[in-house]
Every structure is written in structure tokens, then in C-alpha cells.
Amino acid sequence: MKGQQKIRRGTGFRGAMQYDLDHDRPQIVGGNMSGANARDLAREFGQSRRLREDIQKPVWRNSLSLPEGETLTPDEWAQFADDYMSEMGFDDDHQRIYIVHNKPGQQHLHITASRISMSGRVYLGQNENLKSTKIIHDLEKKYGLTPTPGGTTPKPRRAPKKPEIDKACRTLTKPPRTELADLVDKCLSTDKPKTPEALKNALAARGVETVFFMEDEKIQGITFSMGGLKFSGRALGPDYKWSKILERMAADDKTRPDQKLTHAAGNVPGHPDTQSPSPKNSNFGKKGLAPRSGKKATPAQNQAFQTLLKKEKIMNDAQMIGALSHARSAQPEDKDNVEHGWSEWTDKNGRVWFYDADQPPRVGNRAGYSWDPSGGPDGPPAIRVWDCAVERHGIEQAAVDAVRICVFKSLPEPLRLHGTPEFQRAAAREMHRLGLALKNEDGPGREEYDRLTREKEKDTQEQVNAISSVFSQIDDQANRAHRAILARTAEMMEDTPSKKDDRMRLRGPR
């Protein structure tokens, strides 16, 4: 029996009831409702819905299907559904209805319930799909039904995590987790050890160190280590736990190998390999293992990775970018990268990496600059210049580019310079050219910045003096011209006769 891929929650009971009651010869087999049609059932569900109008999705639905050829009677379906709902955490006063569809060749049951009980309690539910799968598996055993294939069967081997896949792609080598599992499989199939000691010696010949964890003079766990990395059997996968390894060792032998070591280090006082007893539920720290954490790779990533493993080639550049979600692809702040001329890639920690336009973000290319908006343990937010930028462009251009990125990312002023004297001087020259304030109070950057400031002030004063000189010359010329005009005017006034004189000359003497 299997449930649908995802337990659903909804807003309306009327539509759910209409769907369940209009096809595949529906039959109400159980529940605690009195209605017999979609309208009556929806009206009845409304009683609990009105108790908690703040719940937006009061409808809870799931469906259970039998394998082809198997059937249950209505009473068996009702009992099965009651057990299922009880295990899922629903109380008896949660309204629910069970409707069987007698589809030819396959019976399946639709369960619709109200998350609001008649006393006002709300079913919240956590990890419902995982919990449902386990409950169905247990009920299949109880009712003698055919187990769902693959429903609860764990995978024999754990897939590498995303960081392990990343490293494998960079180094073109198998992840240690995969390599260890392969070596253990090869040892069990080829060497066929029958005792813990034989297993330990066979793995040692293949470069794998094995440590057994004892309790009450019996082995309770196993850890494999290679190349400085340790993995418990459980970390490699269910088939690599000690109990499973014992079963695999005994597969070709009727007798189960003794779990006691013939020369167990724990039985020899003062032995350098003595292991202290460890409880069954010991964690990584108690077992001497470094705790591991990381984002799990997606199924698509694992499938691509396993396909490439089968081809005996981990990744080439094109496959890598297509197979890994973290593949470095340009994520520019401005879509055309017009403002600054770099391609950007933002990692999961928020740090922005700047690549040259002709060196796009991909494995094998190195970013010349980075910006951590949140800063870090070594200081506040900053633009960092990496060696490859200096090697590719020279220290002068690298400093200019770093200052340009500061401007583009609008870093708050004043800016502080760190680095070699040459870098500080080059960056200070660019900052002075752009008019950016410098926070350094001393050092090569401050000396260069102050020198340029003095030169600029000197040049400015010279320009002011030159302009003043020009204006002085203009004033002198204007004054001389004005005085010349006044002089000519005075001369003209002396040579011009008055009106009285004119009358006298015209009339003559009396």
C-alpha cells in the first residue's frame, strides 16, 4: 500500500467531496460523518471550521492505494483508516470521512479530515509524509498486506554530500566516502574475511584503518579511516554498519562469526590501541570523529555524479557546470556588466567574486577581487585584491580596479588602505583622482594622498594667481582707456566756442 506523494491541505471541503463522490464507483466505508452527499458533508464539516475561522486551510487529505489484485472489505478499510489516523495524531473528535474507489484492478481509499476538532484543537502535523510512510509500513505487516516495494527500504550506501562532490570535481578523484565504501565492498567480496581480525587485516592491506568499538566485550560499532578522514559505518550507509557487515561476512558461511576479537586491544592492559567502551548511542565526538555538516546534494546532482563515476571520469568542465547547482556562473549586479567590466559570482556566504570579462566564473579560473559585504573576523566590509589580479594586470591596474569596485559597490567613505606600499600609493592616486576620502592617518597611502593634495592645492593657487594677474591686466587696460577718453573729452571742450560767442560773431559789433 502506498500513500500519495504529498499529504495535502486545502481551503474548501465542498470541492474535495465532489471529487471523491463522482467517479470510480465511490463507497463511503467509515469515518464519523452522517452526510451522504457533497453538500451535506461540506455543511457538516463547516461546524468544526467555524470554531477556528483563523485557520485558512482546515482541509486535510491523503489517499492510500492497494497493490493491483489486492482488496479489502469495507469494514477492513474502515479499521485500517482508523488505525492510520490515530497513529498520525488525529483525535476521535476530528471530523473525517473514508471513501473507497473501486477502480478496476486497484482499490484505493480517500481520507478527508478536518484539522479542527470539535473541541477547537488544531492538528498541526510535522514531518507528515515521512511519518505516514512508516505508519503504512507497520500497518501492512499488521493486516498482512503486500509491503510497498522501496517504500521504507533504506539505500545501502549514502551518497556523497555536496561539499564532497565539489572537492571531487576540483581534484578529479572519488570522494573518500565513496572510496572507502568501494574498498570495503571489494574486501568483503574478494578476501571474504570471516572474523573481525581478518576484516581488519584485509582492509589494512588496502590502506584502510579499522577501529572497533567494544561494549560488554562485544563489538557494537566500527569506524573506517583513510587519508586522515574518519567515517563511521553508519556514515557510509546502512550496509556498512557492524551488524550488516556481520551478515555480509556470514553470507557464505552457516556459522555467524564471533564478535569477540581474539586479541582485542581492550583485553590487553596497557595496549596502545586500547579503546574505551562507547555507548550504543555515542555521537561523533565520543567516537573521536569530527562532526560533519553540509548541504545535501540534490538527486539530480547525485545522479549526474554517479553517471560520471560509471564512465570512470568524474567531470569535465562542461559537465561540471551543468551538473552542479553551485557551478560558478555570472550573476552580475548590472546585467550587461557595463559599469565595471567584470563578471560577478555570489557564493552562499554572500561574498561577491569579481572575474575578468575574458575569464568567466568557472572552475579553473580565479577571481581577481572579492567583496565581503558583512566583513569578517579580520575586519569590516572590504574589497580584497588577490594575487592573480596582480599577476595578470600589474599592481597599478589592480589598485585602480579595486578602487573602481569600491565606487561601484558604494562602500561608505572614508576608505582605509591595506597592503604593500606600492599598492597603497597606486590606490591613493586613484582615490585622489576620483575625490574619495582616505581614512589612513599615516603610511605610504597617506603620504601619496597628501602629496597629491598639496600639488593640487599648489596648482589651484597658481591657477588663481594667473587668473588674478589676467584680471589685473584687464583692469589696468580699462583704467588707461578710461583716462584717455577723459583727456580727449577735455580737449574737445576747450576748442568748442560757447553760444554767446557765436551770436557775437554772427551779429557783429553794435
Side-chain angles (χ1 to χ4, degrees):
M1 179 175 293
K2 60 182 179 180
Q4 64 183 28
Q5 289 184 346
K6 185 177 181 180
I7 293 173
R8 298 178 181 178
R9 298 185 180 189
T11 58
F13 290 97
R14 178 71 176 270
M17 294 296 94
Q18 286 180 336
Y19 172 81
D20 291 345
L21 292 172
D22 71 350
H23 66 284
D24 290 338
R25 294 183 294 163
Q27 180 182 7
I28 298 176
V29 297
N32 52 14
M33 312 288 287
S34 59
N37 56 61
R39 176 178 294 180
D40 292 344
L41 288 169
R43 186 182 297 112
E44 196 171 346
F45 273 120
Q47 297 175 5
S48 62
R49 182 172 192 163
R50 286 189 290 273
L51 296 175
R52 291 293 300 272
E53 295 183 354
D54 57 311
I55 303 300
Q56 297 181 355
K57 293 186 177 182
V59 183
W60 187 96
R61 285 174 61 77
N62 195 11
S63 62
L64 308 175
S65 301
L66 287 175
E68 186 174 355
E70 287 191 357
T71 59
L72 289 176
T73 65
D75 291 340
E76 290 173 336
W77 268 122
Q79 186 60 47
F80 188 101
D82 282 338
D83 292 345
Y84 172 79
M85 295 296 284
S86 177
E87 293 295 328
M88 286 296 294
F90 284 88
D91 297 331
D92 292 339
D93 58 349
H94 278 91
Q95 294 174 309
R96 81 282 301 269
I97 188 75
Y98 310 144
I99 301 174
V100 169
H101 283 180
N102 295 289
K103 188 176 180 179
Q106 185 184 43
Q107 266 192 348
H108 60 275
L109 177 75
H110 288 276
I111 301 176
T112 303
S114 174
R115 295 177 53 221
I116 305 167
S117 72
M118 296 305 293
S119 58
R121 293 188 306 275
V122 179
Y123 171 80
L124 299 177
Q126 294 181 346
N127 300 320
E128 291 177 285
N129 293 292
L130 181 63
K131 185 177 181 180
S132 175
T133 301
K134 184 180 183 303
I135 292 172
I136 291 173
H137 180 69
D138 294 338
L139 291 177
E140 285 172 339
K141 293 180 180 179
K142 177 180 178 180
Y143 287 87
L145 299 173
T146 303
T148 304
T152 58
T153 304
K155 295 181 179 179
R157 178 186 293 192
R158 293 190 186 278
K161 293 185 180 296
K162 190 175 187 296
E164 297 174 276
I165 293 180
D166 294 347
K167 184 177 180 180
C169 294
R170 291 194 304 269
T171 60
L172 296 182
T173 58
K174 286 185 181 180
R177 188 192 303 267
T178 304
E179 184 69 21
L180 274 172
D182 289 344
L183 290 173
V184 173
D185 290 341
K186 188 176 294 184
C187 174
L188 292 174
S189 61
T190 304
D191 301 330
K192 298 186 183 300
K194 296 302 177 185
T195 65
E197 273 189 303
L199 174 65
K200 185 173 184 177
N201 294 334
L203 288 173
R206 299 176 184 273
V208 180
E209 182 182 353
T210 307
V211 176
F212 297 101
F213 296 94
M214 310 292 295
E215 184 177 341
D216 298 332
E217 297 186 352
K218 289 187 177 181
I219 299 175
Q220 299 295 341
I222 187 171
T223 294
F224 308 97
S225 60
M226 181 180 68
L229 293 176
K230 295 181 180 180
F231 291 88
S232 65
R234 184 184 298 273
L236 296 184
D239 276 6
Y240 301 89
K241 296 187 296 184
W242 177 241
S243 58
K244 288 293 184 181
I245 288 179
L246 281 176
E247 294 177 4
R248 295 170 67 181
M249 289 167 60
D252 299 329
D253 193 348
K254 294 182 180 179
T255 60
R256 183 182 178 90
D258 188 5
Q259 293 193 50
K260 293 183 180 180
L261 289 169
T262 306
H263 301 290
N267 297 331
V268 181
H271 193 284
D273 294 335
T274 301
Q275 297 290 332
S276 59
S278 178
K280 293 181 180 179
N281 63 344
S282 58
N283 56 26
F284 280 104
K286 293 180 180 179
K287 291 183 178 180
L289 301 173
R292 291 183 175 85
S293 62
K295 184 178 178 180
K296 293 182 66 177
T298 64
Q301 292 171 348
N302 281 324
Q303 183 177 1
F305 179 71
Q306 296 299 331
T307 301
L308 292 164
L309 282 180
K310 292 177 182 178
K311 294 180 179 179
E312 298 182 355
K313 182 178 182 181
I314 299 295
M315 288 278 180
N316 59 40
D317 288 345
Q319 292 168 325
M320 188 180 304
I321 292 177
L324 300 180
S325 64
H326 84 295
R328 297 180 176 183
S329 57
Q331 299 177 5
E333 297 297 332
D334 65 304
K335 296 181 180 179
D336 298 324
N337 293 314
V338 172
E339 292 291 334
H340 51 82
W342 296 284
S343 296
E344 299 179 26
W345 175 70
T346 306
D347 62 21
K348 63 181 180 181
N349 297 319
R351 175 176 290 184
V352 182
W353 299 86
F354 295 87
Y355 292 77
D356 290 354
D358 60 344
Q359 297 283 329
R362 58 179 295 180
V363 177
N365 292 342
R366 295 185 296 169
Y369 315 89
S370 66
W371 174 49
D372 190 350
S374 61
D378 56 345
I383 297 294
R384 289 175 172 81
V385 180
W386 299 90
D387 292 340
C388 56
V390 178
E391 295 169 2
R392 190 176 300 131
H393 305 297
I395 196 166
E396 182 80 21
Q397 186 61 43
V400 171
D401 289 345
V403 174
R404 289 172 61 201
I405 295 174
C406 290
V407 174
F408 181 74
K409 288 299 180 183
S410 302
L411 262 67
E413 296 180 56
L415 301 175
R416 180 180 291 277
L417 290 176
H418 296 279
T420 63
E422 294 80 9
F423 174 82
Q424 290 194 40
R425 292 190 187 98
R429 286 192 289 271
E430 182 67 7
M431 289 176 61
H432 191 274
R433 187 183 71 82
L434 297 175
L436 303 179
L438 177 63
K439 189 174 184 179
N440 300 54
E441 297 179 357
D442 53 18
R446 170 52 65 183
E447 294 173 0
E448 184 70 7
Y449 196 92
D450 291 344
R451 183 185 67 81
L452 294 171
T453 301
R454 289 192 298 270
E455 291 182 357
K456 185 176 181 180
E457 290 174 353
K458 182 179 178 181
D459 293 339
T460 302
Q461 187 60 45
E462 291 177 354
Q463 292 177 7
V464 171
N465 293 339
I467 294 172
S468 298
S469 176
V470 171
F471 277 109
S472 296
Q473 294 176 7
I474 294 173
D475 288 340
D476 291 339
Q477 293 176 1
N479 290 332
R480 287 195 297 269
H482 182 64
R483 286 194 295 270
I485 292 171
L486 292 177
R488 287 196 300 269
T489 303
E491 293 175 0
M492 292 175 64
M493 291 294 294
E494 292 176 358
D495 296 339
T496 303
S498 63
K499 293 182 178 180
K500 184 177 180 180
D501 292 338
D502 290 339
R503 290 196 299 271
M504 291 176 68
R505 277 195 287 271
L506 292 170
R507 295 178 180 176
R510 292 181 181 179

